[in-house]
Amino acid sequence: MMRGWPYLALACAFCLVTAPAFAGNTAPAKASSAASKAARARDKARLGFQRDLVSVLAPSADAQPLLGAALLARPLSNQPENNSFHALIGRAAMAADADAAVNWVRLADCDAKADACPNPAALEQLQTQAADNAAVWLLKLAEDTRNMKADAAREDLAKAAAAKLYDDYTGASLKALASSVGVLPPPAATFDPAHAAGAVGMQTVLVYGIASSQPQPGLQVTAKLCENAGDDASIKTDCLKLGKTLEWGSSPLSRSLGLHLREVLSDDPARQEDAKRARLSLIWQVQSFSALLARAPDDKALAQHLLALARNGGTEMSLLLAALRDNGIPTDPPADWKPH
């Protein structure tokens, strides 16, 4: 029994999912025929702007603008081959300054119909390039579990537990997108004049929406493996060690799993209770950040600040906490607060 993990995972998932990318979000408003026509026109203009950004960024030889171009191209359909997600992320991976963040995104350059996801070459390279990142080994753990390689999955868990950090590179993708989205001024047709933040509000929603589709490791698979350890003390030890790393991980989801593992596996009631309180604060932080993001289209200063935070880099979790702090929002909820 996972004792609340699915609910917490869903709560944390709202962090970036609340801002969908424009590509694929083409359902018009239904308030009236005129509103529907205006919404369709904006959607078309936004997609055109996204394509133009890709075209401007594509000639670069550096990894970060190519990563930004690839992320912008990924949701687009009917892209020219040279400006496709596949071509751009492949070039980014070959750039002299390419790092693990590029290969992490390259995991999505795969053929799901051929059961070839995540990208095998990217996953293999990450095991060397980012061997101290628990996220890499949890991704491999999920793959080995899916392929019924129990011994390999157990080894993956041990490597994840021995890793120094957890990073799913959402922060790096946000930085690449936020640094790329300003290379062209957005046309007036791309944003709704009824929203006060105008162009910068549209850019903020675009950046955070696309970043929400970052490849994710199998955290629920890991949770099940740890909770089904039974009397295997070695698995429990590795899971508790991994949990400490996850608690300081790059994303709300990784932190939530780390706290969950402490709550259900620790033998110390005080540590269990502390983990439960910290999980409640995490849900508060995620929901508070989601509320900030929802305000961005109508608050120009806030939208500009969220873009600036993304350009500064860091992790998804550090960005979230900085946004709350800078807007005077406490990181712990009121005493009587309940998640919604």
Side-chain angles (χ1 to χ4, degrees):
M1 188 72 181
M2 298 190 71
R3 296 201 296 234
W5 161 249
Y7 168 75
L8 184 62
L10 286 172
C12 289
F14 278 113
C15 183
L16 291 180
V17 171
T18 50
F22 291 121
N25 184 29
T26 56
K30 296 181 179 180
S32 68
S33 176
S36 297
K37 185 176 181 179
R40 286 196 298 269
R42 279 193 298 274
D43 287 335
K44 183 177 180 180
R46 289 164 180 170
L47 291 172
F49 174 62
Q50 204 166 322
R51 294 184 198 280
D52 290 344
L53 286 173
V54 173
S55 296
V56 170
L57 294 163
S60 177
D62 298 326
Q64 181 166 293
L66 285 170
L67 174 59
L71 289 164
L72 287 162
R74 186 182 171 199
L76 298 174
S77 58
N78 301 318
Q79 277 290 92
E81 177 56 34
N82 288 342
N83 285 0
S84 67
F85 172 67
H86 170 73
L88 291 166
I89 199 63
R91 286 179 52 213
M94 294 176 64
D97 58 340
D99 58 11
V102 172
N103 269 309
W104 187 268
V105 172
R106 194 162 70 100
L107 292 167
D109 181 27
C110 56
D111 186 353
K113 292 181 180 179
D115 198 27
C117 290
N119 183 308
L123 179 55
E124 183 177 358
Q125 188 166 351
L126 281 166
Q127 291 168 51
T128 301
Q129 195 175 25
D132 280 334
N133 185 355
V136 172
W137 300 110
L138 296 187
L139 190 70
K140 187 169 183 297
L141 186 155
E143 278 298 284
D144 287 334
T145 300
R146 185 170 70 93
N147 294 322
M148 295 181 288
K149 298 178 179 179
D151 291 342
R154 176 66 187 92
E155 185 178 344
D156 297 333
L157 177 64
K159 289 180 178 179
K164 295 179 180 178
L165 56 88
Y166 175 98
D167 190 355
D168 66 8
Y169 304 105
T170 297
S173 287
L174 280 166
K175 182 176 182 179
L177 285 162
S179 300
S180 300
V181 76
V183 297
L184 287 175
T190 60
F191 51 89
D192 188 344
H195 290 294
V200 70
M202 185 275 294
Q203 289 171 315
T204 302
V205 173
L206 179 63
V207 166
Y208 281 86
I210 292 177
S212 71
S213 63
Q214 191 83 353
Q216 293 292 325
L219 297 181
Q220 293 202 34
V221 174
T222 304
K224 289 179 181 178
L225 175 61
C226 290
E227 290 183 336
N228 293 334
D231 296 328
D232 192 325
S234 68
I235 290 182
K236 182 177 178 180
T237 297
D238 278 348
C239 287
L240 284 169
K241 187 177 180 182
L242 171 63
K244 291 180 181 179
T245 302
L246 293 175
E247 284 191 38
W248 297 101
S250 67
S251 71
L253 282 174
S254 64
R255 178 162 168 74
S256 69
L257 176 55
L259 292 168
H260 175 73
L261 292 178
R262 171 151 58 102
E263 185 179 344
V264 301
L265 297 179
S266 176
D267 295 323
D268 183 346
R271 285 181 55 76
Q272 291 178 330
E273 189 61 29
D274 180 71
K276 188 180 298 185
R277 285 194 299 269
R279 286 205 305 151
L280 187 65
S281 291
L282 179 63
I283 297 172
W284 161 264
Q285 293 160 11
V286 165
Q287 293 187 356
S288 297
F289 181 78
S290 294
L292 279 179
L293 201 54
R295 283 170 41 201
D298 292 299
D299 187 331
K300 186 174 182 179
L302 174 61
Q304 288 173 330
H305 188 59
L306 290 174
L307 277 181
L309 286 174
R311 290 191 191 101
N312 286 340
T315 67
E316 180 186 356
M317 198 69 219
S318 67
L319 186 155
L320 180 155
L321 293 172
L324 297 185
R325 181 189 65 242
D326 295 345
N327 285 276
I329 300 172
T331 55
D332 293 316
D336 59 348
W337 181 79
K338 301 292 183 184
H340 57 78

